[in-house]
Amino acid sequence: MAEPQSHWQSEGFKKRLRRRNAQERRFRRLGIAAVLLAGAALAMLLVSVLSNGWRAAFRTEIALDVDFDPETLGIESPSMDGPTEIPASADFGAVLRNSLLQTIPGVEGRAAVRELVALLSRGASADLAARLRAEPALLGRRERLWVPASDEVDLLVNARRSDPASTPSTRLSEQQIGWTDALAAQARVARRFNSHFFTGGDSREPELAGIGGALVGTLLTLLMAKAMNRSVANVLFGAFGQVQAGAGQARADDGRTVRATTADDVAVQLSFARKVIIVPGYGMAVAQAQHDVRQLADLLEEKGVDVKYAIHPVAGRMPGHMNVLLAEANVPYTQLFEMDEINPEFPQTDVALVIGANDVTNPAARSDQSSPIYGMPILDVDKAASIVVMKRSMNPGFAGIDNELYLDPKTTMLFGDAKESVLKLIGAVKAM
C-alpha cells in the first residue's frame, strides 16, 4: 500500500510553487528594467543639461586698457605707510567710461557715451573694484583687463560665431553693433571662461548670474537641518521646534527687559549714524517691504550715511530669498554683503537695523550648547554699537526659541508691521 503524499509533495503545491517562482522572476526582471529605464532617463537629463548649459561656463568679455587713476576714482592719494583703503564711493564707472572712450575715439554727446558704456555689463564696475581690492598695487597704474560685456553683446557675439554675417534680434543699436565689430577687429572681444558662474549668486543680469550662491545656500541648509536633527522638508515646510517660552515674554531671569522705541527715536539714530547695516529677514518678505527699505536706505545715503545690507544665506524660507527680494527692489548689488564678508564690520557699525530676521541673529547659536540652533552660523548683529529690531511681537522665530538679542542692553524694539514701520521711518527721516 502506497504511503500518502505530504502537502509539499502534492501536485497542487508544486504548481503553486512554480507560479510563485515565475512571478518572482517576472518581478525581478521588471525591477531591473525600471532601474535601467531610470538610469537612462537620468543619463539623458545629464546629457541635455550639459549639452545646452555648457555655454554658461563662458561669457563674452571686452579687453580695456584701464587706468586706475586715484583722482578719477576719488581716492585722495595712495598711502605710503600701509595698504590703501578703497572706499565704497570710488567711481569705477568713470574709469571704465574713460577706458572705452580712449579705445573708441570720436564718441561725443551724453546719449552716445551712455550707449557706448552700455556695451559693458552693469557688474563690470564691481568686478573692477574687486580686482583693485585684491591687488592694491594696481592703483596709479595702467593695465589691460578683461571686463564682462552686456548680455546683448554676448548674444551678438554668439550669433556671429556661427554666422559672421548674422545680426540677431537684440536691443543693440546699429551704432553699438558697429562699436562691437570695431572692438572685435582689434581682438578686444572674446569668449572667456566664466569662473563667476561657479562662484556668483543670483543676479538680474544674465552674464552675472551664477550657481555659487545656490550651492552654498543648499549646503548650509543641509548642515543646519542636520544640526537641528530635522529633515530638509520639515525645515522648509514644517513648523520646527516647540515654543520654549511664552510669546509675550519680555523679561529674562536675570532681570533684563525688552526696551520698546518709537519711529522718531530710530530716525534720529539712523540720520546721525556714520554707518548702518540693514539685516533683512522673513518679516520683510511677509510685509513686502523691500521697496520701502530701499527708499529708506537712499534717504540715509543722501545724508552721508554708509548703508550696507547683511545677507544670511538662509534668511527667509529658502536659500537666496533675501537676494531675490532686494534685487526686485533694485538695490545695488555692490551694497549686498554675504555673512562672511559683513560680520567683521559689525563692531564698527553705529546702528544695525534688523527687519524681521530672528533665528539668524540669535547669539544663543554661539553660546548656548543646549539651544537647538547651537553651532548655526549667524550674523554678528550683537556686536554693533546699537541695534534696532523691527518686529510685530515677541513671538519666537522658526526654531521656536526666544532670541537673546532682544534682551541686550544695546537693543531697542520697534514693534509693528515691517512695511508700516519702515514708512514711518521714511517720514521721520524726511522731516529731520
Side-chain angles (χ1 to χ4, degrees):
M1 181 177 177
E3 294 182 3
Q5 288 184 326
S6 62
H7 175 69
W8 59 271
Q9 290 177 321
S10 66
E11 193 62 34
F13 177 81
K14 291 179 180 179
K15 187 181 295 185
R16 288 194 301 272
L17 184 61
R18 287 194 296 270
R19 188 164 57 246
R20 178 176 177 180
N21 289 338
Q23 289 175 342
E24 287 182 354
R25 288 193 296 271
R26 186 164 57 252
F27 182 77
R28 189 180 300 114
R29 287 194 295 269
L30 288 173
I32 293 173
V35 170
L36 292 176
L37 183 61
L42 179 60
M44 291 175 60
L45 177 63
L46 289 175
V47 169
S48 175
V49 169
L50 293 174
S51 62
N52 293 305
W54 67 269
R55 295 179 182 82
F58 295 86
R59 68 181 180 185
T60 301
E61 296 184 355
I62 298 175
L64 295 177
D65 297 316
V66 179
D67 186 2
F68 290 97
D69 179 34
E71 184 177 349
T72 304
L73 287 168
I75 301 173
E76 293 184 0
S77 61
S79 173
M80 303 300 293
D81 302 326
T84 302
E85 182 179 352
I86 310 300
S89 59
D91 194 355
F92 289 96
V95 170
L96 289 171
R97 183 173 61 250
N98 292 344
S99 300
L100 277 170
L101 290 172
Q102 291 170 8
T103 305
I104 302 180
V107 179
E108 298 179 353
R110 294 179 62 181
V113 171
R114 279 198 301 270
E115 280 203 333
L116 179 62
V117 173
L119 296 180
L120 301 180
S121 165
R122 294 184 183 180
S125 295
D127 275 17
L128 212 60
R131 181 68 179 271
L132 183 57
R133 290 189 174 94
E135 300 180 49
L138 289 173
L139 192 62
R141 287 169 45 187
R142 186 181 181 85
E143 196 86 10
R144 174 164 289 198
L145 299 176
W146 289 91
V147 296
S150 70
D151 60 315
E152 295 295 330
V153 172
D154 185 72
L155 181 65
L156 175 66
V157 171
N158 274 332
R160 292 280 173 87
R161 282 168 60 87
S162 55
D163 182 5
S166 68
T167 302
S169 177
T170 71
R171 293 193 296 268
L172 294 176
S173 66
E174 291 295 329
Q175 192 173 39
Q176 287 175 312
I177 293 174
W179 288 332
T180 303
D181 291 339
L183 289 168
Q186 300 176 43
R188 289 179 178 269
V189 178
R191 294 277 294 171
R192 292 166 58 85
F193 181 69
N194 182 13
S195 60
H196 186 79
F197 176 73
F198 301 97
T199 60
D202 300 321
S203 176
R204 289 166 291 147
E205 308 300 328
E207 71 278 4
L208 299 179
I211 61 175
L215 292 175
V216 172
T218 301
L219 177 60
L220 279 173
T221 300
L222 293 173
L223 291 174
M224 288 170 60
K226 184 177 181 180
M228 295 174 179
N229 197 27
R230 300 277 171 170
S231 68
V232 174
N234 180 271
V235 171
L236 293 177
F237 308 110
F240 163 65
Q242 298 296 323
V243 177
Q244 296 184 355
Q249 182 172 338
R251 181 180 296 274
D253 294 338
D254 56 9
R256 292 178 298 162
T257 59
V258 168
R259 297 185 302 137
T261 187
T262 66
D264 289 337
D265 288 341
V266 176
V268 171
Q269 283 184 270
L270 296 175
S271 297
F272 290 96
R274 290 171 301 172
K275 183 174 183 177
V276 171
I277 294 181
I278 298 174
V279 183
Y282 186 59
M284 185 191 78
V286 171
Q288 288 291 294
Q290 60 268 25
H291 296 278
D292 305 297
V293 172
R294 163 71 193 275
Q295 186 181 353
L296 174 62
D298 290 345
L299 284 173
L300 295 177
E301 287 182 319
E302 290 175 6
K303 291 179 176 289
V305 181
D306 180 17
V307 179
K308 295 181 178 180
Y309 295 80
I311 309 299
H312 193 284
V314 293
R317 276 291 191 175
M318 67 189 77
H321 195 178
M322 296 301 106
N323 299 75
V324 172
L325 292 177
L326 294 173
E328 178 189 319
N330 293 321
V331 173
Y333 182 76
T334 53
Q335 286 186 315
L336 305 183
F337 293 84
E338 299 296 334
M339 180 174 59
D340 291 338
E341 294 178 293
I342 201 67
N343 269 348
E345 298 194 31
F346 278 109
Q348 292 81 44
T349 300
D350 297 306
V351 182
L353 183 62
V354 182
I355 307 176
N358 199 330
D359 298 327
V360 297
T361 65
N362 194 339
R366 292 196 307 260
S367 58
D368 186 358
Q369 295 188 15
S370 65
S371 172
I373 63 171
Y374 179 73
M376 182 181 80
I378 64 167
L379 293 165
D380 295 337
V381 173
D382 58 319
K383 296 181 181 179
S386 179
I387 305 129
V388 176
V389 177
M390 298 170 62
K391 205 173 184 299
R392 281 180 175 273
S393 68
M394 288 301 297
N395 286 336
F398 191 60
I401 60 174
D402 290 327
N403 193 335
E404 293 182 3
L405 179 70
Y406 304 158
L407 297 169
D408 192 307
K410 299 182 296 182
T411 301
T412 54
M413 308 288 295
L414 182 59
F415 291 108
D417 175 78
K419 186 177 183 69
E420 294 176 2
S421 295
V422 172
L423 290 174
K424 289 178 182 178
L425 287 177
I426 291 173
V429 171
K430 284 182 177 179
M432 294 188 62

